[in-house]
C-alpha cells in the first residue's frame, strides 16, 4: 500500500490555488501547498497591481471560508455597471452615447439577496486575506519551493520539489497559472494564442465620488475600464497595442498622467496616479482537459481568458469550489479521490462553463475592438436590444454574479 504525505498536493499558492486549499481543508482533507515564490513576496504592492471584480457568489465562498471580516475592510461594492461605445479617447468624459448597457444591482435583489453586483478587491488585499485564513487553517504551506517533477501510477502521484524533497498523494492540483508545470508534466495540451494588445493598469485617486459605479468604454484600440475601489480610488485598466503599452510604462509620471487624463476624461474630476503602474500582455489559453492521471487543474492553469468582462478569476474560484466539493463528497463515500471517475465529475461540472466563457470573451474582443462601421452598427443594435429587455439584463447580471447553473455549496455561502 502507498504511504501518502497528504490527501492533495497543490502546486501554486495564488488566488485560485489558495482558495481551493482552504476549501478542501474545510471539508476535512489534508492539504499541502507548494509555491516557488515566498508568500511575503506575493503580498507586496509591487507583485500584482491588478484589482479584480469578484462575483457575489465567489465572494460568498470567501466569506464561508472565514475571510469575510478581513475583506469587509478592503472590498468596494459594485452597485452599477455602465457600458458605452466610444470612438475616440476621452469618450468616457462626455454625456454618453445613445447606445449603452446599464446594469443595476437593484434589478436582481431577488437572486442576490440584496448584495451588490460584485465587489472590487485589489489582488494584493485578496492575497493578504487568504494568507491570514491559511494561517488559521490546517493547510501546510511550503515556500519558496516549486514543483519540478511529477510521476503518477495507479495508486497515487509523486512530486519532486526544487529543494530535492519528494511528496506523495492521491491527487496533485495544478494552480500555477498559464505556465503550469503540472499541466506540462501531465502531457495535457493547450490551445493558445496572444492578443495584439496589453493591459495597462494603474490605481488613481479621484476628485469626485465614483458612487460604486464601474465604467467600461469600448474604443477601436481596446476597452477602457474604470473600476471603483475603496478610499475614493479607482483601478484603471485600458488596452493598448504592445508598443504603446510599453511606452506608457517607461514614460515619466507627468507624461503618463497627461496621456491618462486625455483617455480618462473629466467626468470624475482630476485624477492622481498612485505608483507603481503595470503592463500585462493579453492572451487566451484553454487546456485540452482539466484532468489527467492523478491530476486536476484549476484557474489559469486550465483556462486563461481575455479580461474584458473581469471573469477570469471568477472562473478559477468556481473551479476551486467545484473541485473541493467533488473531492470532499467522494472521500465521504469512501472513494479514491484521485480516481478517473471522481475527476471526471469535476471535469463535467466545470468544462462547459470555462470553454463557453472563453469563447464569449474572444467573440466580444473581435466585435468591440474594431472601427468597422458595419460591425459597430450590428454590435450597437445588439447592445440596445439587451438594454431594452429587463429579463435579458437580469440574466447577464446573474451570469456575471456566478449565480447561474448548478452551483457548488460554497458559492451559495454554505459549508462543505
Amino acid at each position: 500500500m502507498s504511504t501518502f504525505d497528504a490527501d492533495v498536493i497543490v502546486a501554486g499558492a495564488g488566488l485560485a490555488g489558495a482558495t481551493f486549499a482552504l476549501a478542501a481543508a474545510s471539508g476535512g482533507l489534508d492539504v499541502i501547498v507548494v509555491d516557488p515564490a515566498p508568500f511575503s513576496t506575493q503580498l507586496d504592492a509591487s507583485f500584482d497591481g491588478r484589482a479584480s471584480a469578484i462575483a457575489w457568489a465567489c465572494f460568498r465562498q470567501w466569506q464561508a471560508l472565514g475571510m469575510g471580516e478581513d475583506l469587509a475592510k478592503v472590498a468596494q461594492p459594485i452597485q452599477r455597471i455602465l457600458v458605452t461605445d466610444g470612438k475616440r479617447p476621452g469618450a468616457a468624459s462626455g454625456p454618453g452615447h445613445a447606445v449603452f448597457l446599464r446594469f443595476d444591482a437593484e434589478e436582481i435583489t431577488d437572486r442576490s439577496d440584496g448584495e451588490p453586483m460584485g465587489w472590487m478587491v485589489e489582488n494584493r488585499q485578496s492575497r493578504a486575506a487568504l494568507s491570514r485564513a491559511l494561517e488559521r487553517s490546517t493547510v501546510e504551506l511550503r515556500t519558496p519551493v516549486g514543483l519540478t517533477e511529477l510521476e503518477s501510477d495507479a495508486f497515487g502521484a509523486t512530486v519532486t520539489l526544487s529543494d530535492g524533497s519528494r511528496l506523495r498523494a492521491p491527487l496533485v492540483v495544478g494552480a500555477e497559472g498559464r505556465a503550469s508545470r503540472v499541466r506540462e508534466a501531465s502531457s495535457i495540451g493547450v490551445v493558445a494564442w496572444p492578443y495584439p494588445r496589453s493591459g495597462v493598469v494603474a490605481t488613481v485617486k479621484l476628485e469626485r465620488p465614483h458612487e460604486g459605479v464601474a465604467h467600461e468604454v469600448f474604443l477601436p484600440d481596446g476597452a477602457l475600464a474604470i473600476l471603483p475601489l475603496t478610499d475614493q480610488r479607482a483601478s484603471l485598466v485600458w488596452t493598448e497595442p504592445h508598443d504603446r503599452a510599453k511606452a506608457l510604462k517607461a514614460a515619466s509620471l507627468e507624461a503618463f498622467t497627461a496621456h491618462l487624463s486625455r483617455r480618462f476624461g473629466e467626468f470624475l474630476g482630476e485624477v492622481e496616479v498612485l505608483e507603481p503602474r503595470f503592463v500585462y500582455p493579453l492572451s487566451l489559453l484553454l487546456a485540452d482537459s482539466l484532468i489527467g492521471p492523478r491530476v486536476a487543474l484549476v484557474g489559469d492553469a486550465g483556462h486563461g481568458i481575455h479580461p474584458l468582462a473581469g471573469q477570469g478569476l471568477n472562473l478559477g474560484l468556481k473551479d476551486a469550489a467545484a473541485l473541493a466539493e467533488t473531492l470532499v463528497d467522494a472521500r465521504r463515500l469512501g472513494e479514491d479521490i484521485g480516481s478517473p471517475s471522481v475527476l471526471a465529475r469535476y471535469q463535467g461540472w466545470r468544462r462547459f462553463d470555462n470553454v463557453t466563457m472563453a469563447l464569449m470573451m474572444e467573440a466580444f474582443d473581435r466585435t468591440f475592438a474594431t472601427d468597422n462601421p458595419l460591425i459597430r452598427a450590428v454590435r450597437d443594435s445588439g447592445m440596445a436590444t439587451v438594454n431594452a429587455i429587463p429579463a435579458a439584463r437580469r440574466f447577464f447580471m446573474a451570469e456575471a454574479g456566478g449565480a447561474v447553473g448548478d452551483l457548488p455549496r460554497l458559492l451559495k455561502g454554505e459549508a462543505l
Side-chain angles (χ1 to χ4, degrees):
M1 295 181 62
S2 297
T3 299
F4 295 124
D5 298 287
D7 294 316
V8 185
I9 298 169
V10 182
L15 298 177
T19 299
F20 165 75
L22 281 173
S26 76
L29 298 181
D30 292 327
V31 182
I32 296 176
V33 178
V34 299
D35 195 292
F39 217 83
S40 58
T41 300
Q42 298 188 36
L43 303 181
D44 191 274
S46 63
F47 183 80
D48 187 346
R50 294 166 295 183
S52 297
I54 309 300
W56 79 75
C58 295
F59 199 78
R60 287 175 182 171
Q61 174 177 217
W62 278 352
Q63 291 174 316
L65 294 175
M67 298 165 55
E69 184 175 346
D70 286 331
L71 291 172
K73 309 169 187 175
V74 295
Q76 168 63 48
I78 303 174
Q79 301 294 356
R80 182 180 303 157
I81 299 175
L82 297 179
V83 182
T84 59
D85 181 16
K87 295 183 179 180
R88 64 190 184 281
S93 65
H97 299 269
V99 177
F100 66 96
L101 292 172
R102 175 174 175 150
F103 300 111
D104 286 284
E106 295 177 353
E107 292 189 71
I108 53 171
T109 54
D110 58 327
R111 303 189 67 169
S112 64
D113 295 328
E115 296 181 38
M117 295 185 60
W119 303 80
M120 283 300 306
V121 188
E122 293 161 278
N123 285 5
R124 64 184 181 87
Q125 298 288 7
S126 297
R127 293 177 192 275
L130 282 164
S131 173
R132 289 188 284 269
L134 285 170
E135 290 176 356
R136 298 189 295 265
S137 75
T138 61
V139 175
E140 180 182 345
L141 182 64
R142 297 191 182 188
T143 64
V145 180
L147 182 150
T148 58
E149 295 181 13
L150 169 64
E151 301 172 357
S152 62
D153 53 47
F155 305 102
T158 302
V159 301
T160 302
L161 306 180
S162 56
D163 63 0
S165 62
R166 290 165 64 87
L167 298 173
R168 185 166 172 81
L171 179 68
V172 175
V173 173
E176 328 99 293
R178 301 188 188 209
S180 170
R181 175 61 183 147
V182 170
R183 186 188 66 232
E184 179 184 345
S186 302
S187 299
I188 299 174
V190 300
V191 175
W193 56 79
Y195 291 108
R197 292 174 295 278
S198 293
V200 182
V201 177
T203 301
V204 298
K205 188 79 172 179
L206 303 174
E207 180 183 12
R208 299 172 187 164
H210 54 58
E211 298 179 337
V213 179
H215 299 264
E216 186 143 17
V217 182
F218 289 102
L219 299 163
D221 283 338
L224 165 68
I226 304 164
L227 308 170
L229 296 175
T230 56
D231 301 325
Q232 198 46 40
R233 297 171 303 142
S235 177
L236 184 72
V237 184
W238 80 94
T239 54
E240 294 277 6
H242 297 309
D243 55 345
R244 293 188 202 171
K246 292 178 181 177
L248 284 169
K249 182 174 177 59
S252 67
L253 179 60
E254 292 75 15
F256 181 82
T257 302
H259 180 84
L260 171 59
S261 297
R262 289 193 298 271
R263 178 58 63 93
F264 196 97
E266 301 177 352
F267 74 114
L268 288 174
E270 293 186 7
V271 298
E272 175 190 356
V273 178
L274 306 177
E275 297 276 45
R277 68 194 89 145
F278 301 83
V279 173
Y280 299 96
L282 306 182
S283 63
L284 179 140
L285 178 147
L286 275 176
D288 294 341
S289 174
L290 291 176
I291 60 175
R294 297 285 167 179
V295 159
L297 305 178
V298 299
D300 284 359
H303 45 79
I305 69 172
H306 196 290
L308 194 61
Q311 290 300 307
L313 175 56
N314 289 309
L315 289 179
L317 297 179
K318 292 178 187 179
D319 292 345
L323 181 58
E325 183 170 321
T326 300
L327 300 181
V328 169
D329 287 352
R331 171 55 57 84
R332 290 169 180 168
L333 292 173
E335 297 180 272
D336 176 357
I337 63 172
S339 66
S341 59
V342 170
L343 297 182
R345 295 202 288 270
Y346 164 64
Q347 167 114 304
W349 203 348
R350 292 298 307 143
R351 182 66 171 169
F352 180 78
D353 183 33
N354 290 334
V355 172
T356 300
M357 185 61 70
L359 294 179
M360 285 177 58
M361 294 305 100
E362 171 70 10
F364 284 170
D365 177 66
R366 292 180 180 272
T367 301
F368 282 96
T370 179
D371 210 18
N372 185 297
L374 179 59
I375 296 178
R376 293 178 73 94
V378 173
R379 177 190 68 200
D380 291 352
S381 176
M383 292 173 65
T385 300
V386 171
N387 196 60
I389 303 175
R393 290 199 308 272
R394 287 194 291 269
F395 171 79
F396 281 112
M397 283 188 281
E399 174 68 31
V404 174
D406 183 15
L407 294 184
R409 293 193 292 273
L410 284 169
L411 296 185
K412 300 175 184 176
E414 302 171 3
L416 290 182

